[in-house]
Amino acid sequence: MSGTNKILLRIQSAHGTKRIETELASSTRALYELAKAAFQFDNYEFALFRERNFTKEIVSAGSQYVKDIGLKHGDMIYLREVEGPSTSKATERSASASSLASSHSSSASLAGFNTDAVASTSAKSSSFAAASSTLLPQEDAVDVELYKQDGRIQRKRDEKLCRHNSNGCCVHCSPVEPWDENYLKEQKIKHFSFHSYLKKLTSGADRGKFVALEDLNCKIKTGCRDHPPWPKGICSKCQPSAITLNRQQYRHVDNVMFENTGIVERFLNYWRTTGHQRIGYLYGTYEIHPDVPLGIRARVAAIYEPQQESNRDTIRLLDGADDGDVDEMAKLLGLQRVGWIFTDLLSENLANGTVKHVRNIKTHFLTSQECILAGHLQNKHPNRCKYSSNGYFGSKFVTVCVTGDEKKQVHMEGYAVSAQCMALVRDNCLIPTKDAPELGYIRESTDKQYVPDVYYKVGGDLLTQNEPIQ
């Protein structure tokens, strides 16, 4: 076969991007074999797709060829590992090793198809692609609505700078993008919204064709055959990259709003009665926030207080058997768990009703233990996102702290930890310090766990490694 029939394809997966060389006359079964060899998989528990959102599946068959599915030189295809019960996985378990390549992404009856069954093959292919798309987590309704919006900020005609009539437009009055730094600075918006961030990523010439949001990984990749497992060996292919802590530009939730004051007043009654601190889970919905371009607001309708033991300084959550029932009841009411709330209140003058102002720029806003708990809860409630290979990226789960302000009055502050913090907590790399609540510590590497180097800026350009981080 002539060299002109050979094409180069790129395969993107959660394990990275690989390149394979195939021929237009090769079968899709051979394409799966090349993908398996490129990623060094031990089995065929994966499927290949034409689209980033894992639709238009490429069905493995000896009678279907690369040229038939429209692949061209340089095209990108997407690999997704099959999880949970599915037709393809059931076929793999029952098929022999020699027939795995022909049946791993189709039903058992599809393995014996020939060229006379083109219409039937197409029907089964489309139905399986639809079934595969249902494996992806369904995004929140607010995300689906925000995808439809342009997000550009309209500006009125400037009487001093504009030299055109009311029907014209120039650089002084044309719409600006939702991530425009000057506009955000004028509106005193510190972080732009997550959907503004997505619009920025997809605004280039490629229209987001190569956008892939992946969570940070702090663990060694397993299965490397070039050396013995850790701690006897490690290489650049399996070693996680060093991490430089940076401020996250975007935020998933831009505002937290309680439907009425009675929700918070009932929650604070426990502290007013006992003087002990309290924790609760926030139940509500996510909606579009009108004050931030493409922003999201968490609307809280109820607070559930789980079983806990507390005193003036500490709170310990107990294993609650009712949490699942509460989530199910909230789902029936159209609500979901959107965050958690805790108190840190110390009375200063009972007669005046004032509280101490203990959280500020000179001390801390959140302790390391609170950041770790927030990261743990955010990992338990990930954000569904179609631009991620596994269907999840970041989290909309918010943290609300009830404490004293500068006027020594009770007030609330909302927070969310960054994706870097979530990854460090998820992979058990970040721990609190004993004597300084505002500081955290990165674990040292041991024989059981490898911890990547973590850097942060001190005084501008100075980088410090694996020491207390603030």
Side-chain angles (χ1 to χ4, degrees):
M1 184 168 291
S2 63
T4 56
N5 289 328
K6 292 185 177 181
I7 60 173
L8 193 68
L9 298 176
R10 295 168 295 165
I11 306 178
Q12 187 180 92
S13 74
H15 305 285
T17 302
K18 302 288 185 181
R19 295 183 180 181
I20 61 171
E21 186 177 288
T22 185
E23 296 179 352
L24 293 173
S26 298
S27 65
T28 54
R29 179 191 304 177
L31 187 64
Y32 271 83
E33 293 174 353
L34 291 173
K36 177 177 177 291
F39 288 94
Q40 298 181 353
F41 288 149
D42 297 329
N43 50 51
Y44 287 91
E45 294 187 353
F46 65 90
L48 299 177
F49 301 86
R50 292 292 309 277
E51 300 295 338
R52 182 183 300 278
N53 57 355
F54 303 113
T55 58
K56 298 183 180 180
E57 184 191 3
I58 302 173
V59 179
S60 173
S63 59
Q64 192 173 18
Y65 302 98
V66 173
K67 61 182 179 181
D68 297 334
I69 57 179
L71 289 177
K72 303 185 295 296
H73 179 72
D75 280 357
M76 175 83 78
I77 57 179
Y78 303 92
L79 182 147
R80 178 181 174 84
E81 296 183 58
V82 179
E83 298 178 359
S86 66
T87 306
S88 60
K89 211 164 186 179
T91 305
E92 289 171 353
R93 294 193 183 101
S94 61
S96 62
S98 61
S99 62
L100 279 175
S102 63
S103 62
H104 69 277
S105 64
S106 60
S107 62
S109 60
L110 189 60
F113 275 10
N114 53 34
T115 54
D116 297 331
V118 176
S120 179
T121 304
S122 176
K124 286 188 176 289
S125 172
S126 60
S127 63
F128 189 84
S132 300
S133 62
T134 59
L135 297 176
L136 291 174
Q138 186 177 1
E139 293 181 287
D140 292 331
V142 65
D143 293 316
V144 177
E145 186 64 28
L146 287 173
Y147 284 135
K148 302 175 183 177
Q149 297 188 10
D150 179 70
R152 292 188 177 184
I153 303 146
Q154 302 296 326
R155 295 188 296 174
K156 296 182 180 179
R157 181 177 180 273
D158 194 314
E159 298 296 338
K160 296 181 179 179
L161 300 176
C162 295
R163 296 291 183 265
H164 51 79
N165 57 26
S166 59
N167 295 327
C169 186
C170 66
V171 294
H172 303 293
C173 61
S174 59
V176 296
E177 300 293 349
W179 62 84
D180 184 77
E181 294 183 0
N182 294 328
Y183 175 82
L184 297 177
K185 189 178 295 183
E186 291 174 0
Q187 302 298 320
K188 297 182 180 180
I189 300 175
K190 190 174 182 180
H191 302 84
F192 51 78
S193 65
F194 178 63
H195 278 268
S196 296
Y197 175 69
L198 293 179
K199 292 287 185 183
K200 184 177 182 180
L201 294 180
T202 57
S203 63
D206 58 1
R207 309 303 298 175
K209 183 179 180 181
F210 305 105
V211 173
L213 300 177
E214 301 294 341
D215 287 323
L216 187 67
N217 181 36
C218 304
K219 290 184 177 181
I220 295 177
K221 293 181 180 179
T222 58
C224 188
R225 303 177 181 178
D226 296 339
H227 54 78
W230 174 266
K232 294 183 179 180
I234 192 172
C235 67
S236 58
K237 291 191 296 183
C238 60
Q239 179 183 6
S241 302
I243 303 170
T244 300
L245 299 182
N246 295 307
R247 195 190 78 171
Q248 190 166 286
Q249 294 180 320
Y250 60 89
R251 55 190 178 189
H252 289 271
V253 175
D254 304 278
N255 183 263
V256 182
M257 183 186 72
F258 292 83
E259 287 190 348
N260 57 74
T261 57
I263 299 173
V264 181
E265 292 298 326
R266 287 193 296 270
F267 176 70
L268 294 178
N269 282 339
Y270 182 85
W271 170 78
R272 293 190 179 110
T273 305
T274 64
H276 295 176
Q277 309 303 330
R278 198 68 170 164
I279 277 182
Y281 290 121
L282 306 176
Y283 283 85
T285 57
Y286 295 111
E287 60 185 17
I288 297 176
H289 185 39
D291 297 335
V292 177
L294 299 178
I296 294 177
R297 176 169 60 194
R299 186 186 186 94
V300 180
I303 299 178
Y304 165 65
E305 301 175 33
Q307 298 182 24
Q308 55 193 282
E309 294 178 353
S310 62
N311 54 38
R312 178 178 174 272
D313 300 313
T314 61
I315 306 173
R316 187 168 73 93
L317 287 175
L318 305 176
D319 293 334
D322 300 331
D323 289 358
D325 295 335
V326 174
D327 289 339
E328 186 66 25
M329 184 181 298
K331 186 177 180 180
L332 295 175
L333 296 172
L335 305 176
Q336 61 178 316
R337 196 180 294 190
V338 298
W340 68 295
I341 184 172
F342 68 95
T343 62
D344 183 18
L345 296 168
L346 299 174
S347 297
E348 184 179 67
N349 190 317
L350 293 176
N352 297 332
T354 57
V355 294
K356 293 183 179 180
H357 178 47
V358 296
R359 294 175 182 254
N360 51 64
I361 195 171
K362 295 182 180 179
T363 56
H364 61 273
F365 295 103
L366 287 179
T367 67
S368 59
Q369 185 65 61
E370 292 161 358
C371 289
I372 292 172
L373 180 55
H376 170 70
L377 293 174
Q378 288 181 207
N379 283 317
K380 288 182 63 176
H381 301 85
N383 175 57
R384 298 181 286 271
C385 180
K386 66 180 181 180
Y387 290 102
S388 176
S389 60
N390 64 354
Y392 296 96
F393 182 77
S395 174
K396 292 193 189 79
F397 205 77
V398 298
T399 299
V400 178
C401 174
V402 186
T403 185
D405 61 6
E406 295 177 354
K407 298 180 180 179
K408 299 184 179 180
Q409 300 297 316
V410 176
H411 89 304
M412 295 179 292
E413 291 287 346
Y415 301 95
V417 299
S418 65
Q420 288 182 327
C421 180
M422 289 174 60
L424 291 172
V425 172
R426 181 196 64 226
D427 295 332
N428 198 25
C429 298
L430 180 62
I431 56 176
T433 54
K434 184 177 181 181
D435 52 349
E438 72 276 9
L439 298 179
Y441 195 83
I442 299 297
R443 289 183 183 271
E444 302 285 345
S445 295
T446 63
D447 293 345
K448 297 182 179 180
Q449 179 186 8
Y450 174 83
V451 179
D453 296 334
V454 179
Y455 300 89
Y456 68 103
K457 292 184 178 181
V458 178
D461 299 329
L462 180 63
L463 294 176
T464 307
Q465 173 186 350
N466 281 16
E467 294 182 0
I469 57 177
Q470 186 170 5

